[in-house]
Amino acid sequence: MTTLAKRGRTKGSGGLKIGRPSFLWSLPAFVYFAIFALLPLGVVVWLSFTSWDAIGSPHWVGTSNWTAMFKNPELLQSFKITGILTILGIATQTPISMLLGVWASGYQKNRAILSALYFIPLLMSAIAISVVWASLLSPYFGLPHELHWLFGSALFNHGFLFSSSPAAIGVLTFVGMWQWTPFHTLIYQGGARAIPEVLYQAASIDGAGRVRQFWSITVPQLRNTMITSMVLMLAGGLTTFDTILVLTQGGPGTATTSTSYYMYLEGFKSFQFGPASVLSVMLIVVTTIVSLIAVRASGWDKMRSTQEGL
Amino acid sequence: MTKQRPNYVAGAFTSFWLVLVIAPVYVLIKASFQTQEDYTLSGPLSIPKSLTTSNYSTVVSSGFLHYFVATGIVTVATVGIVLLLVPPVAFAIVRNQSRTVTFVFRAFLLGLAVPIQAVIVPIFFIMIKVNLYDTLIAVILPTAAFSLPLSTIIMTGSMRDITPDLYEAMSLDGANSWRVFWNMVLPLSRGGLATIIVFSALNAWNGFLFPLILTQSKSDSVFTLGLFNFQTANGIDAPAICAAVVLSIIPILLVYLFARRALIQGLMGVGGK
């Protein structure tokens, strides 16, 4: 004990400083992350000013990829589709996952069992989910045929789900909802459990009914959760890819060619990595803005100050 | 609270959603044991006339089990890298207030929203230049990197739950940072460790874009890629596709059964308060 006191004093830092990690502890993870996630961000900006076809080395072409891309009508079209898919995703998933999450936040036994079942899609890869739905929605051997009283024959005559553009967007939105709702339900469940029970007790004493309690207590209290969840949906929606690749291949025509799918086509199908890099840079700019808003709005960056006052 | 009248609207809504979730799962499992003829004639929802395991043998004989090995390697290596890197950085974030560490934490928060699609072109370029294209290492390295942000945030949250008194006690004993980390922080954050193991394993097992772009030969194919190729080649054979999907989910289902709490608790915390 005496040695400790001496050491503390000689360093002039007080006993509590002993045993704190130096910044070196954070370096391995940061360097690793920088190499594989931050360095590529720089590389792609450079690639966007070059011409490269995956063979040989990229050569500098100046701003020509950028000017060509801005003249390309498909760019605007892909932005529009990405925007539509993102908005539809948020509009369908938010109310459903909020209601399910609040419901699942109760501690009743039957709710726990159902929640475990609701969780299933979260375990499946996006590819597995898309492949299963592709089979289920197949016009001749799938549900549309078996349940034609529900789907109607008109859809058949128009070439069905994957050949009309509103229907194809509808399919992607529906499958996205099936895939992502469990995740957001969990987030809302966590948020709803953090609401102090006292608020509800006080409201019941004042005679507020269930609906009133939901709108006046639950929804306002879930504000931060809602922001977090919606921003995650936004970031996910902006980069929808796997479901498009399996279910619609961007079609019919270019009706579901989102920006990230368009980038995939330009790069890995047409081997024009210059234009593909331009699209990547645009994706990065948009998602970085979104994530900055996320960090601000959700208070994630303030998390570190909540506990430590030492 | 418990004496309220039953909530019929909620009951109807949750039952409807249950059907929507369970119906495809039912079709998936049922169809995988059904002949293709029976499936196409009677439709996805129908009760099968007879059961068969021939779909599974079709899938297995197409080399599907090979994907188990490749996916297993990717998953174990990814989890290994995450376990090696994340606890130290989380420890530093919780216990070191310097500017450098704050900057690292903010970089991870921003990294949370960097989508894989945005960096796939440069990563493809880098992997070709360093001669790693078409190897499993090319898939493992970026997959682990993209598991770091959320894992770090989950781990940081878990380590914050350790009370300052405990740190104080350790430092009064004169423990250096390595001993504090090894003897106290790691044992007390087992819950967080379990969550990041399950989370990064799930991520690696279900990952698709990195394998799609960075590998080519069949010996390096992982499950998701195999499934995608199988669907492209045998699009009409729905029962065989279902069998392939079932096979790809079984390992994840086992992990889920053993580590359900860890995964759910971790993800529930993402939304904050």
Side-chain angles (χ1 to χ4, degrees), chain B residues 180-197:
Chain B
V180 173
F181 178 68
W182 196 252
N183 294 339
M184 185 186 88
V185 174
L186 274 189
L188 285 181
S189 41
R190 267 179 311 220
L193 285 172
T195 305
I196 63 168
I197 290 174

Side-chain angles (χ1 to χ4, degrees), chain A residues 1 4 7 15-16 18-23 25-26 28-30 32-33 36-41 43-44 46-47 52 54 56-58 96 99-100 103 112 114 116-128 131-136 141-143 146-147 174 177-178 181 183 186-187 189-191 193-194 197 200 204 210 213 224-225 228 232 235 239-242 245-246 260 263-264 268 273 276-277 280 283-284 287-288 291-292 295 300-301 303-304 306-308 310, chain B residues 1 4-7 10 13-14 17-18 20-22 24-25 27-28 39-40 42-46 81 85 88-89 91-98 100-115 117-129 140-142 144-146 148-149 153 160 162 164 168 171-172 174-178 180-181 202 206 208-209 212-213 224 227-228 231 236 238 241 245 249 252-253 256 260 263-264 267-268 270-273:
Chain A
M1 286 305 268
L4 164 77
R7 208 203 302 175
L16 286 177
I18 297 171
R20 283 194 184 254
S22 80
F23 75 97
W25 284 72
S26 67
F30 177 71
Y32 186 93
F33 185 67
F36 293 104
L38 304 181
L39 172 75
L41 299 182
V43 173
V44 76
W46 170 67
L47 278 176
W52 186 52
S57 287
I96 295 176
L99 287 172
L100 285 175
W103 180 83
L114 282 190
L117 292 173
Y118 289 155
F119 198 77
I120 292 174
L122 199 51
L123 302 176
M124 298 171 69
S125 63
I127 290 299
V131 161
V132 169
W133 278 105
S135 294
L136 280 174
F141 308 117
L143 293 175
E146 191 175 14
L147 303 177
F174 175 79
M177 181 182 85
W178 198 84
T181 298
F183 175 70
L186 267 184
I187 293 181
Q189 191 180 347
R193 283 198 176 163
E197 189 64 37
Y200 291 104
S204 317
R210 194 178 271 136
Q213 288 185 13
N224 282 343
T225 312
T228 310
L232 288 174
T239 54
T240 316
F241 175 77
D242 307 22
L245 179 69
V246 173
S260 62
M263 180 210 75
Y264 168 78
F268 301 99
F273 287 97
S277 300
S280 298
L283 274 179
I284 292 164
T287 49
T288 306
S291 71
L292 279 174
V295 171
W300 274 340
D301 60 337
M303 274 190 343
R304 66 168 300 143
T306 52
Q307 197 230 355
E308 287 238 350
L310 297 172
Chain B
M1 283 303 284
Q4 281 183 351
R5 71 199 144 79
N7 190 339
F13 172 65
T14 52
W17 188 257
L18 184 68
L20 210 59
V21 171
I22 291 301
V25 178
V27 175
L28 175 66
Y39 177 88
T40 42
S42 51
L45 292 175
S46 64
I81 294 173
L85 295 177
V89 72
F91 181 41
I93 290 168
V94 173
R95 294 294 291 170
N96 183 318
Q97 307 277 298
S98 70
T100 325
V101 178
T102 308
F103 171 77
V104 168
F105 185 56
R106 279 173 192 254
F108 276 121
L109 283 176
L110 266 185
L112 203 58
V114 174
Q117 284 92 336
V119 296
I120 192 67
V121 171
I123 285 182
F124 173 70
F125 173 75
I126 292 169
M127 290 304 171
I128 284 183
K129 289 295 159 195
I140 292 164
L141 295 175
F146 278 84
L148 291 181
I153 284 159
R160 277 214 184 87
I162 301 171
E168 211 170 304
S171 71
L172 284 176
N176 61 21
S177 51
W178 179 250
V180 173
F181 178 68
L202 196 66
N206 286 338
F208 176 66
L209 193 60
L212 173 73
I213 302 296
T224 44
L227 199 57
F228 175 64
Q231 197 249 4
I236 305 168
I241 290 171
V245 171
I249 297 174
I252 285 295
L253 207 60
Y256 176 60
R260 205 180 118 243
L263 186 66
I264 290 184
L267 291 178
M268 242 194 243
V270 170
K273 306 237 159 67

